[in-house]
């Protein structure tokens, strides 16, 4: 049993899709530059300068959030330990 969608019901969907495509094509930009994400002080400032100098590539950033500061600290320490064990990771800050 096939179900037909009337043009009256389909028109708003088509219009919304076209508007989204036009806005995405004209206003949405994706930047590979990670430097804008880093703070301007401490070790992150060094990473920011590195990212700007080399086009923002090869650096990875992790944001760990949580309601309890102790849990976030533990998760951060665990991640740091795991990353330091990787041969492809040169430095963890």
């Amino acid at each position: 049993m096939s179900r037909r969608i009337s043009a009256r019901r389909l028109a708003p969907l088509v219009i919304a899709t076209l508007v989204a495509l036009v806005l995405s094509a004209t206003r949405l930009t994706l930047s590979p530059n990670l430097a804008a994400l880093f703070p301007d002080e401490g070790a992150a400032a060094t990473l920011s300068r590195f990212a700007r100098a080399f086009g923002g590539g090869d650096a990875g950033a992790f944001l760990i959030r949580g309601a309890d500061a102790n849990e976030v600290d533990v998760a951060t320490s665990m991640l740091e330990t795991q990353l330091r064990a990787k041969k492809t990771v040169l430095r963890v800050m």
Side-chain angles (χ1 to χ4, degrees), residues 9-72:
R9 292 180 72 191
L10 189 60
L13 179 62
V14 170
I15 291 171
T17 302
L18 290 174
V19 168
L21 286 172
V22 168
L23 289 175
S24 295
T26 59
R27 297 182 187 254
L28 180 65
T29 59
L30 299 175
S31 174
N33 185 4
L34 295 175
L37 299 175
F38 303 127
D40 292 331
E41 26 186 80
T46 304
L47 183 57
S48 178
R49 285 192 297 273
F50 175 85
R52 279 192 195 97
F54 294 100
D58 295 332
F62 293 89
L63 174 63
I64 300 175
R65 290 179 153 178
D68 182 18
N70 291 330
E71 288 180 4
V72 171

